Amino acid sequence: MKLTKQNILNLEYKNNPDKLLGMGCATYYTDMFLKVLIKEFDFFNRFKNSKLTKEGIVKKFKIKDRPANVFLPILVKKGFLDVKDNKYFLTDFSKEFLLSSSKKYFADFIIHATSYIIENQLYNNIKSIMKSDKPVYSTKNGDWIKNMKANKDFAQTFTRALDERGLFLANSLVKKINLKNYKRMVDIGGSSGIYSCFISTYFPNLNIDILEISSVVPQTKKLIKERGFSNKINVISGDMFNYNYNQEYDVHFYSNVLHDWNKKDVKKLLKRSYNNLPKNGIVVIHDGHKDIKNNPMSLLENDISLLMITPGRYYFEHEIFDILKEIGFKAIKKKEVFSGRSLIFGKK
Ligand SMILES: C[S@@+](CC[C@H](N)C(=O)[O-])C[C@H]1O[C@@H](n2cnc3c(N)ncnc32)[C@H](O)[C@@H]1O
């Protein structure tokens, strides 16, 4: 489908592609965490009847904080752990099947079944991340961002992939946002520009600049032109960590960008936005924002990819709220978009 203003306005979905959102990333990796936890950490036997916070789990099992933030929601989702008042505990299911003291113990089957042998490399990658927190691919091929900068083919394929996902999410997001009273938006790490195209269609008074790295810019420019948005959307090459926004934008939009970075860098980016927004300007963050307990599987599957190949992860909603508050943003609020993705707003 050629994306035009007209068919953006008429776009309708008959089916829900949620299961495809996870699949692009790591659909079947979720079970491998269980195997690693049982085999490498004797996780359930050592957990037994305790009630532990995430910090307590990190300390007790000597697992790094970032992987813990990724696998705990998976274990809760799969019914191996439950959580109340931020304390995790074994479910009846785990007590029945995953404690070696139980007559119905099942864990030898889990860890010695063939998938462990077939997927040996995956097993070892997960094991290494739990203990070291180093993204797996960083040493061999360069991390994905180095790859994006150095390899034009990779940058193109990746941007195309995000464009397909973006069509669905942008279509949902644009109906949850009101930018009527704003003048100029910067779409930071805007990739193919798909979100900007939707936002421009619904808010034609807004002028938009997309800020991207130089290897992505030619493709973004081409798509913006083909899609008929050149008069409203401009594409700039620059680095979001040191770009001078000059207080020119009253909306800073980050879609699926913060999850690529560690918490220190997330704070740096948001602080930079705060300092560069005019009074009453807003930051709009579209991303996967996890809940402590209820998350769609497709989001948790994506989270594994982030853990494996970036220094980031999906942050919990409360973590982003805390960072925004700490920086000085006001009127912080969240709106659900789809499949665990949501919009978080903050005003200067
Ligand atoms: C995960 S993608 C998200 C793309 C798009 N916003 C979306 O929601 O699908 C992150 C984007 O950030 C861009 N990016 C990474 N580092 C950047 C930097 N330092 N400055 C500007 N853009 C950057 C990448 O090229 C990539 O397109």
Side-chain angles (χ1 to χ4, degrees):
M1 175 184 79
K2 184 165 183 317
L3 206 68
T4 59
K5 286 180 190 169
Q6 203 44 47
N7 58 30
I8 281 181
L9 288 169
N10 295 335
L11 187 65
E12 273 179 29
Y13 281 79
K14 283 194 212 132
N15 296 296
N16 177 348
D18 174 72
K19 60 186 168 203
L20 303 177
L21 280 180
M23 205 175 276
C25 298
T27 310
Y28 58 91
Y29 296 2
T30 52
D31 292 327
M32 199 53 95
F33 277 87
L34 189 68
K35 295 182 199 222
V36 172
L37 284 168
I38 293 172
K39 193 155 188 284
E40 303 298 324
F41 297 93
D42 195 15
F43 190 76
F44 293 92
N45 285 323
R46 289 175 64 207
F47 210 117
K48 233 180 180 166
N49 292 319
S50 36
K51 292 192 171 183
L52 296 171
T53 59
K54 180 202 72 185
E55 289 73 19
I57 292 170
V58 163
K59 193 162 169 220
K60 182 175 174 75
F61 294 96
K62 295 195 174 59
I63 292 173
K64 297 288 180 187
D65 181 74
R66 194 171 68 101
N69 278 294
V70 173
F71 79 75
L72 287 170
I74 293 175
L75 295 188
V76 171
K77 179 81 183 173
K78 293 212 161 213
F80 299 123
L81 287 184
D82 202 350
V83 57
K84 202 170 171 207
D85 302 331
N86 285 326
K87 290 204 168 155
Y88 294 87
F89 51 93
L90 298 196
T91 57
D92 285 347
F93 181 93
S94 292
K95 286 184 179 162
E96 187 167 4
F97 297 117
L98 301 176
L99 289 180
S100 55
S101 53
S102 163
K103 282 197 218 65
K104 293 165 242 168
Y105 190 53
F106 236 106
D108 282 327
F109 175 76
I110 294 168
I111 57 178
H112 297 301
T114 53
S115 63
Y116 159 59
I117 300 160
I118 297 166
E119 292 159 1
N120 203 329
Q121 192 178 350
L122 177 59
Y123 180 97
N124 285 327
N125 283 340
I126 289 179
K127 179 171 117 187
S128 127
I129 281 202
M130 301 276 247
K131 295 182 179 178
S132 74
D133 194 24
K134 292 217 169 58
V136 181
Y137 302 110
S138 61
T139 46
K140 283 186 195 153
N141 305 322
D143 60 33
W144 78 273
I145 194 71
K146 280 193 200 129
N147 219 349
M148 284 287 279
K149 286 180 177 162
N151 180 342
K152 281 208 169 111
D153 285 347
F154 177 71
Q156 272 206 4
T157 324
F158 188 71
T159 302
R160 210 169 44 237
L162 295 186
D163 190 63
E164 287 181 6
R165 178 181 70 175
L167 183 79
F168 169 65
L169 290 172
N171 182 51
S172 179
L173 168 154
V174 79
K175 292 160 192 155
K176 307 278 171 79
I177 202 168
N178 185 356
L179 299 175
K180 235 178 27 226
N181 297 325
Y182 296 90
K183 295 188 184 73
R184 208 159 164 212
M185 178 181 110
V186 55
D187 180 356
I188 301 165
S191 190
S192 70
I194 186 100
Y195 293 86
S196 286
C197 289
F198 273 78
I199 291 173
S200 176
T201 303
Y202 278 74
F203 304 100
N205 292 330
L206 200 62
N207 285 306
I208 302 179
D209 285 350
I210 297 172
L211 180 68
E212 256 297 344
I213 55 175
S214 57
S215 55
V216 175
V217 163
Q219 196 184 359
T220 311
K221 280 191 171 161
K222 185 168 169 273
L223 284 167
I224 294 296
K225 192 166 173 214
E226 276 173 18
R227 291 169 171 174
F229 287 88
S230 297
N231 61 337
K232 280 285 166 202
I233 304 176
N234 181 39
V235 188
I236 317 169
S237 170
D239 179 349
M240 63 189 176
F241 283 98
N242 51 45
Y243 189 75
N244 187 359
Y245 299 101
N246 268 331
Q247 305 228 335
E248 282 171 16
Y249 305 95
D250 51 359
V251 183
H252 281 211
F253 178 65
Y254 291 93
S255 172
N256 296 307
V257 167
L258 300 183
H259 66 222
D260 289 333
W261 304 97
N262 66 32
K263 223 170 177 176
K264 213 168 130 207
D265 284 336
V266 169
K267 283 185 193 170
K268 217 188 267 176
L269 287 169
L270 292 174
K271 178 100 182 117
R272 200 174 172 73
S273 282
Y274 185 84
N275 291 339
N276 280 283
L277 277 165
K279 191 163 183 295
N280 292 323
I282 55 168
V283 66
V284 181
I285 304 165
H286 170 239
D287 218 314
H289 296 119
K290 288 186 292 191
D291 180 65
I292 195 84
K293 194 160 168 173
N294 301 307
N295 296 291
M297 203 55 184
S298 62
L299 186 77
L300 303 179
E301 285 161 349
N302 274 196
D303 207 14
I304 299 176
S305 306
L306 299 177
L307 173 69
M308 308 273 274
I309 63 169
T310 76
R313 61 180 167 88
Y314 284 132
Y315 291 95
F316 289 96
E317 172 191 327
H318 69 85
E319 294 180 285
I320 299 294
F321 270 56
D322 287 349
I323 293 173
L324 291 174
K325 255 185 240 158
E326 192 187 308
I327 291 173
F329 282 101
K330 307 245 156 37
I332 302 164
K333 59 180 183 196
K334 180 186 131 175
K335 271 192 190 170
E336 297 289 342
V337 175
F338 214 91
S339 290
R341 273 85 182 168
S342 49
L343 288 160
I344 293 184
F345 302 84
K347 186 171 181 173
K348 178 160 171 179

